[in-house]
Structure formats: structure tokens, C-alpha cells
């Protein structure tokens, strides 16, 4: 029986501003990537979101990002790799402390937004950020974009990693995500997202916008939480996979 | 033979802005309180400062503050105690992670600036912030203003604590520091600071501006690093204590 | 025929986070207080909100606040009055520039949140902040909490001012607002809010929680935009006043 | 008799952190570019720096930058041009307000750090940012890197502009500055900087690291204020030009 993890970014509220319906999404996914205060989230939001996740047995992850609240960590910043690695470590340490306060444990780390794209494009950034994670705790799992230099960097470091594919994003032929600025970057139709994920899980590869298939190892599917369709896409993907007999559960270490 | 610790706030640079002469001060003090990014410091500054401290065998402490860079954490903010406690935990977690990256370990926690004054005035704030520290790691030492409600809060929680007195600050009769806005709040004369500390260490009490003596248990003396006289005050205090046969070393747990 | 202005705080979104339904609220109110980037709002949000307001002929105001995004400017900060005045001037200058970019003009200034409460409690803060406004442009109207030291400060400075009362907030006997932390601070029932405003406009006084009437000059009613009931309260107040034959229009200078 | 302006970036302190010796530099230069709070400076620093500049008859400029205090506005950020233009307008409005408070007037605008480099590389960014400036006040002078797309953008918009060259920076053959990360990017020798400026002013062209001469119209020389040699370079350049009979004065509109 095949098993896969569903992950979503959470804890993206900040102060009086709320974002996403974390409580509802936590009933659908099996892992949560918690924003760590640089691009979204604050210490109160982190604790409250982690508490909800722990109560449901969801796998907890730290989701460090660039120091850019206004841009939600989605604007590339020309920050040296060594500084990025320190930022990842700082946020991860904070997340570990907040998780412990609600009886939880950080099991994985996923880079957010522009930081993830920078790491997917630049092996040096990926390696330094991941090395900071593994140096702090070598048992942590790196959640990487499948079939990108991020995965290769995790492999070179000898760390535990799990590849992920995106339910609501279109893929370029090199395995990177179509830029958000592109009109077809996002998949808004829950049925289409579900069909794509069923096909990709069945075939074990990534389907690109041009119709190519890229072989890929992945153990998790990312659904986003900050779009109007987010919840129905997540539910639709979950239902389709379950209909196919796929077991949904938090990932263990790779290979599962 | 009497023993005492000399502590100073450090790592208070931020980005391209530098503050204090940490390298020189690290040759004088025995413990360093490292800013954690909310009122000063950033992840790079934290790592660099901790690396210097570790190389000299200095006791490492986290120095969490209010989220107010422009005000350097010195402007009281009406933040609920539960939120303050989460902020302390977040910063402490980050500091623990940064310390590990340079081969060091956070041994103590000292609240910074307005946060410290708020905790000295409000037992609920002190208790919640200290409880967050001890909940994360019960072996951590709380560095408290001697003979204030901060010390009482640490005692009620049953945590390890060390009291501190200030070499360059005048005291009110209730044991609190004279407000910085007051003209005589700061002691700028190194010889005067040294004499006061020698007397206070010898007598085991705090001398107030009105000439009162307040009995106090303290194991550490704080010298500040951000004034022009900081370094000469620190050196003067150190020399005076050594001339009195007092041993200068990082504090252990209380009672020493 | 009696005339009154309905004002609401707007442009309180920030980056990817949205707050309130400004478009709907702009169909109800006659004046808009635009957040200026310190407690909420950013340059894009300011321009977009002002553009909508200008298109509907709504009176534009700057709504400067404390530099505290996480606390939404609602946490008192011990900032010296001279610094507060510079912060007000900075934000007002920015708002004037943004307004011009969409063909609008800032007509009034209203202090936000904790800054407003600080000014209502401390005449020195009120005078310095208002003096900064009038020094920049003496034709600007100061929107003040009616019958508070804020109003007295505006009068002493000889500036144009309009008093306001709050549709959704309970009043203490000294004319200040009941603290938000108090369970009965907020009025959530649209019918009750409407009845109170009709009574207060008719009688020209403020009704306190203890049943006292405080004589007050006011030309504007504030309805908030950031609560679930905000829109229905605003519509209910508007309908009740119109049923009483009160004309709703942006305030002119005082006395109207 | 030839005339030229000497400009320097100022007001780059922030809160308790100071940077540069603005008082000394103001005795050497003829124009000051004042940081506007996004990459450095705050409302208090802006007012204090402008007050000193006004007292010496120095030409006042706004120096808007990217929203990145930690990176001092020197880290490229992938921010859309329309958002950058709003950020420039916001900061310029704030600067105009602060200048008025000390009896001064903003005469020119110069983009800072990474924002300047982005504008020098992307004509769309340059045009939108400059259009925001001229739309707010068409009499403002755009201080542009001579012989770059920034200058071309200013020309296309029909605005007043003055070209500048850099006393302490090496030039690539395309007229752009050698990246700060390059070992020879900065010129640290005051005598060398002075000789280069004397030659460039005499010849009316830019000398590149490869020895090429690029014809350029410039009316101002930039000296930086944040390096240890800054002040001696500025004095050396000033003395060398005066020795050549060049008159140093704030620029007027172009052509002078």
C-alpha cells in the first residue's frame, strides 16, 4: 500500500492580521510547516498554531523565510549564503523552543518562498542552509522540492530528506515551479489538482506544462493555505488519493 | 576567598551599525549577555559575538528584549505578560541555536532594558518570562536584579538564579535603578564605580543614592558596554576587586 | 438641519494581509482615516485605499500611529513627546505625498490607537503632535476625541478641529473610552450603537456607562472597520441618523 | 570658472546606533542626501541631520532606499517597479515634511544603494521611481549616476537632472560601478581619489578600471560618509579641485 504525506504552510498570521484557515486545513493535511517570524508568524501565532497541530497529531515543521514581512518572504533578496544560513538557524532554534512549549517537536524543515527558490537555483545556498539545520539537529528531515538541486544538496550532506511536489502549481520542464507572475502558474481547479496528484503519485513522476514526465522521488504533496481555493484543493487531493487506496500519513525518513 | 562574576551586554551591533567594543570588553568580563535580535543584534552578530566569547571561556547568556530596534528595547511597551513570555522563549531558542553553531552553550538568561524594568516592577511579568525560560531548560540560570521582585519571582519558581548589581547605575531606596532620564542615574567616574563595587561586594549590600544600605545577595556585577566610559569603568572595577582579593570568574549556580 | 460626519479607519491591510472591507465601508462613511505605515498600511495599500476614497468623494485623513506592526499600534510605548511629534510629521508627509498621487488631498489628521490614548491622557503629547501637524499645514483639521485634553490642546494651538464620538465604544465618566481589555468596552449590537448615536447627536452630549451625560461638541462619529460587526454597525448608525433627518457629509472646519 | 557640487549620504544613524561623522562631513560637502527611514535614518535622525545641513547652507536631498535596515538597503530585492515607485514617493513625502520642520527644503532626490543599482540596470524602475518624484514636485532635481540608463530615464521624463561621479568607487567599462564585493571596488587612498576627480572634472569624462574614458555630463561628485577614510577622501578631493580653480557649490538645475 502506497503512503504519502500532505503538507501545508501554516501559522502565517501576524499580530492582528490573520491568514488562511489553519484549523480547517489541519483536518486535511498530515504535516504543517510553521512560519517562524521573518516572513510571517510571530511567537504567539507560532505557539497557537503548533498547539492545534500537536492536538491533531500533525507532523511539525519549521518554515524559515526571508526577513521581509511586507513581501511575505516572496521577494528574492541578494543575501549572502552564510547570512541566510544564520537566519535559518536562528528561526529553527526559535521554532524548536516554541514547539516544546506546546508539547511538540519539530520534525522537519522546509524553506519558504523566495528562500526556497534561491536554494533550488543555487546549490551553495541550499547546502549552507541545510548544513545549518543538520548541524543543529542531524535527525531533522529536510523537505525539498523533488528533483531539484535542493534534493541533490540534501543528498550530498547525507541528511534525511523527503521530496515534495506541489498540488496547485504548474511545473517547468526543468522541474522548477512556473513563476507566480505567470498567468498559468497556479492551478485553481480542485478537480484538476486532484487528478494531477493522483497521476503523479501513481506514476512517480512530475508532469510539466509541456507534457513532459520528470522522474522524481517524493513522499509529500504540498497544498497551499493562503488562496481562496486552498481548502477545497486540499480536500479534493486527499479524497482522490484515498479513493486510489493511497494511505495519508506524516512522512518518516526517506526512503519510506 | 570571595568570588564574583562581571557581566556585560554584548552583541548589540545590528547590520552595518556597530555598538560597543565587544572584543575589548570580553577581555575584562567573565559573562556576556548576548542580544537576541529584537532590540539589537541579528543572527550574524549573535554568531560572531558568541564565537569571540567562547574562544575566551566567557559564560554565555541570552539577553532577550522588547521588539523595538529604534528604541533599543528601552521604551516600555504595554505588552501582555503571556506575549512577553513567548517573545522570551522565541529569542532564547534562537540564542541556543546560534550558540551551538559556534561550539558554545547558553548558561544564563538576563532580561534587557525596559523588559527587565517591567519584570522588576510586575511579578506576573517576571514569573511568566522566567517560567518560559525554565520550562525550556530548567538548568538555565536566571540573572536577576538583586533584591527586587525579579529575584522573588525566580525564588518562587525554584529556579537557579544569581543576583546582580550595577557598577554604573545609581540606586533608589527600594532597590530599583534610578531612571535613565534622571541626571544622576549613570555613574561616569571609573574610580567612583570601582569604590562603590568594592564596598558593595565587601558589605554584601546595595548602597542607595540617599545613603541607605539594602541587604542583597548578588553573585555578579553588571558593567555596560555602550557608553564612552564603559571599558574604563569595567577595567577599574575589575582591578579594584582583584586588589581586594576577590576572585573574578563566571558564576555557577546559586548559592556559589 | 443637523449635519454630521461618519469616519472610519481604513487602509489597515499590510503586504499580503488584508483587514476590513474598505470598499464596502467607503459606501457608508463620509471620511476615511488612512493608516500611514507604522502600525498598519504600506505605501501600496495607502495609494490603493486613497484611490477608492477619492473616487467616492470621501474626506481623506492621515491616521498616524506608533511604530508597532505586531501590536497594531495599540500597545502604549514610552516614547518621548518630541519623538512622537517627529513620527507624526513623518507619517503625515508620507500620506500627503501618497494622496497627491491619486488626485486627492489630506484634509484631516487623527491619531491612532495607543498614540491617541496617550495624547488624550497627556496634554504635552497632544500639543506636540498637533503642533507638528499644524506647522506642516495650518489648514489641516485635527480630529480629536471630544471633551478630552486632546480637544483642549487643539484649542490652545488655535487650530481647526472637529470632535468625534465612538459608535462602538463605551465611555467612562471622565469622557475617556473604556479600556479594550474590559468586557463591556466594545458595543457589538448594531441597534444599540445606532440608538446611542441618535441620542448623543440629538442631545449633543456623551452618554457614559454609569448613565452620566457629558456635554460635548462633536462633528463626527467614528465607526471601526476591523470587527465582524463593523459594517452592520456603520450602516445601522447611518440609517438611524438619516431617519432622524440628520445630514451625513464630510466635516468642514469647526465650528461647522 | 568651472563649478561642481560635492554630495554625501547622511543621516544614516538609526535609533541608538550612529554612523558617520555628519557634522564634520557637512563642513566639506555642498549637498547632503538624507536617508529616509527605510534603509537607515529615522524621523529624529532626519530632523537633526537636516537642521545641521540647513544651518550650513547645504543643498538638501532625499535619499530613499529599499525597506531593509539589516542590509542597509544594499541587498537587491525583487520588488515590482510600481511598488518601488510608491516607496520612493512615501519616503520623499516624509523627507519633505521633515525638512520643512527645520526650515529647509528638499531640492533633489538620489536613490540609495541597491535601489540605485536596480534603477541603473532597469530603465523601467528608473522611470517609474523618477516619475513618482516629478509627479510629486516637478521642480525637484534628480541626481543620477552619469552616463547610465538612470540618466537616460531622467532625460526621457523631461525632468531636471544632475549627473554624479563617485570619488571612492572604481568604474566598469559600461559606466556602472564595480560591485562592492570586488576587492578593488573601493578607492581608499585620499590622494588617488583626489587625482582621479581632478582628472575627471578637467576632462569631463569617467575613467574606468581598464583605462577607458567614457564621456559624461556630471555636476556633482559623491563622497561616501560611512568608511574610515571618508572624511579624508572628501577633504582631499575638495582641496584638489579648489587648487585647480574649480568652484564648489550646490548644483543648480541642469545645464548649470
Amino acid at each position: 500500500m502506497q503512503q504519502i504525506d500532505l503538507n501545508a504552510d501554516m501559522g502565517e498570521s501576524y499580530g492582528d492580521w490573520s491568514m488562511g484557515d489553519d484549523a480547517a486545513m489541519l483536518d486535511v493535511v498530515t504535516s504543517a510547516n510553521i512560519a517562524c517570524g521573518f516572513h510571517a508568524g510571530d511567537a504567539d501565532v507560532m505557539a497557537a498554531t503548533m498547539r492545534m497541530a500537536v492536538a491533531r497529531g500533525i507532523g511539525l515543521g519549521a518554515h524559515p523565510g526571508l526577513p521581509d514581512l511586507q513581501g511575505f518572504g516572496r521577494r528574492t533578496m541578494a543575501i549572502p549564503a552564510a547570512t541566510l544560513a544564520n537566519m535559518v538557524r536562528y528561526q529553527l532554534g526559535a521554532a524548536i523552543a516554541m514547539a516544546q512549549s506546546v508539547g511538540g517537536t519539530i520534525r522537519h524543515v522546509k524553506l519558504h518562498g523566495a528562500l526556497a527558490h534561491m536554494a533550488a537555483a543555487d546549490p551553495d545556498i541550499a547546502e549552507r542552509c541545510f548544513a545549518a539545520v543538520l548541524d543543529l539537529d542531524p535527525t531533522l528531515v529536510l523537505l525539498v522540492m523533488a528533483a531539484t538541486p535542493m534534493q541533490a544538496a540534501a543528498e550530498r550532506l547525507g541528511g534525511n530528506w523527503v521530496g515534495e511536489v506541489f498540488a496547485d502549481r504548474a511545473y517547468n520542464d526543468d522541474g522548477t515551479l512556473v513563476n507566480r507572475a505567470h498567468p498559468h502558474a497556479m492551478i485553481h481547479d480542485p478537480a484538476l489538482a486532484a487528478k494531477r496528484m493522483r497521476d503523479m503519485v501513481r506514476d512517480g513522476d512530475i508532469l510539466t506544462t509541456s507534457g513532459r514526465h520528470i522522474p522524481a522521488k517524493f513522499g509529500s504533496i504540498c497544498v497551499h493555505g493562503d488562496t481562496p481555493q486552498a481548502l477545497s484543493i486540499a480536500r479534493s487531493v486527499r479524497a482522490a488519493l484515498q479513493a486510489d487506496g493511497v494511505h495519508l500519513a506524516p512522512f518518516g525518513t526517506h526512503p519510506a
Side-chain angles (χ1 to χ4, degrees), chain A:
Chain A
M1 185 181 184
Q2 229 177 333
Q3 176 181 316
I4 203 150
D5 172 75
L6 277 188
N7 80 77
D9 301 347
M10 296 201 181
E12 296 181 328
S13 296
Y14 183 78
D16 279 17
W17 290 280
S18 62
M19 181 172 290
D21 184 350
D22 287 357
M25 193 60 100
L26 281 166
D27 289 335
V28 183
V29 299
T30 50
S31 288
N33 319 305
I34 310 292
C36 297
F38 274 39
H39 71 278
D42 57 41
D44 285 353
V45 169
M46 290 170 79
T49 311
M50 289 175 175
R51 184 172 288 115
M52 290 196 298
V54 167
R56 287 165 176 82
I58 303 295
L60 272 191
H63 194 42
L66 296 182
D68 178 20
L69 281 177
Q70 192 202 4
F72 205 68
R74 289 194 177 133
R75 308 189 289 210
T76 297
M77 295 177 74
I79 300 178
T83 295
L84 292 172
N86 276 337
M87 289 176 173
V88 166
R89 183 186 281 271
Y90 178 101
Q91 293 177 75
L92 175 55
I96 288 170
M98 299 319 296
Q100 188 193 311
S101 77
V102 297
T105 306
I106 297 294
R107 299 172 60 250
H108 73 273
V109 176
K110 172 175 166 177
L111 305 182
H112 170 80
L115 177 56
H117 290 290
M118 290 156 64
D122 181 340
D124 184 46
I125 290 177
E127 273 198 35
R128 285 185 184 242
C129 291
F130 289 167
V133 171
L134 298 175
D135 177 65
L136 190 60
D137 180 353
T139 70
L140 286 166
V141 177
L142 303 166
L143 188 52
V144 301
M145 292 193 209
T148 67
M150 276 175 86
Q151 177 184 316
E155 289 177 315
R156 276 195 303 279
L157 293 169
N160 295 320
W161 61 271
V162 167
E164 68 170 347
V165 292
F166 292 80
D168 59 356
R169 295 292 298 272
Y171 278 90
N172 296 314
D173 278 356
D174 64 355
T176 58
L177 300 178
V178 175
N179 192 290
R180 273 173 186 271
H182 192 280
H184 300 303
M186 311 295 296
I187 293 164
H188 299 295
D189 176 10
L192 175 59
K195 183 189 173 333
R196 281 166 52 85
M197 285 307 105
R198 211 160 59 172
D199 291 350
M200 282 165 61
V201 169
R202 206 179 277 157
D203 302 344
D205 58 22
I206 290 171
L207 184 63
T208 73
T209 50
S210 75
R212 277 192 55 201
H213 291 259
I214 304 177
K217 283 190 194 165
F218 52 89
S220 188
I221 292 171
C222 178
V223 291
H224 284 104
D226 60 338
T227 65
Q229 309 79 19
L231 200 54
S232 45
I233 287 179
R235 287 174 177 151
S236 179
V237 167
R238 181 182 177 98
L241 291 170
Q242 287 179 322
D244 260 19
V246 177
H247 181 57
L248 294 171
F251 52 76
T253 53
H254 178 84

